[in-house]
Amino acid sequence: MGFLSKIFGNSNKDNIDKNYPWIGEVPSICELCGNAISDVFYDGHVKGKPLVGGWNFMCPECFDIYGSGLGIGVGQKFVKSENDRFYLAKGGEKTEKSRALDSLR
């Protein structure tokens, strides 16, 4: 288990927020390594890529290495629940980056 997974976790024991289900097709593979996505995936910005176009679906291992972090404007963690739907588990909080973007609007 990688450093960020130790901090944020990568199991389905996270507190999921059933008010925020994943809408749309659930990714079947990690867009960076090609491994299958099973119980956890990240929808997030990849370090070093431009903000526009620099987002990918990632497995926990790739997120540990390439993910920019969790929060609005950075990335979200989705975990499969007992009903086989994915729900937001982490990353719904505002970040410094999202507050800066809000100030430009």
Side-chain angles (χ1 to χ4, degrees):
M1 181 181 290
F3 175 73
L4 290 177
S5 290
K6 287 178 184 173
I7 294 172
F8 296 116
N10 67 353
S11 73
N12 58 5
K13 293 183 177 103
D14 287 306
N15 294 325
I16 60 173
D17 188 339
K18 291 199 174 180
N19 291 313
Y20 296 99
W22 177 256
I23 308 280
E25 188 175 336
V26 174
S28 59
I29 61 166
C30 173
E31 293 179 325
L32 299 182
C33 71
N35 286 339
I37 299 228
S38 56
D39 295 334
V40 176
F41 74 89
Y42 293 84
D43 179 23
H45 180 256
V46 176
K47 288 185 251 184
K49 285 193 174 181
L51 192 56
V52 175
W55 283 67
N56 287 96
F57 295 125
M58 293 177 261
C59 66
E61 293 77 20
C62 284
F63 181 81
D64 283 350
I65 298 167
Y66 304 109
S68 292
L70 292 171
I72 296 171
V74 183
Q76 289 75 42
K77 177 182 181 179
F78 288 87
V79 175
K80 187 189 282 188
S81 74
E82 64 281 349
N83 68 2
D84 286 339
R85 291 198 64 195
F86 282 83
Y87 294 92
L88 181 67
K90 295 195 185 296
E93 307 82 24
K94 286 226 176 212
T95 63
E96 232 178 272
K97 187 185 287 186
S98 65
R99 285 190 287 276
L101 291 171
D102 285 348
S103 71
L104 297 174
R105 294 181 190 158

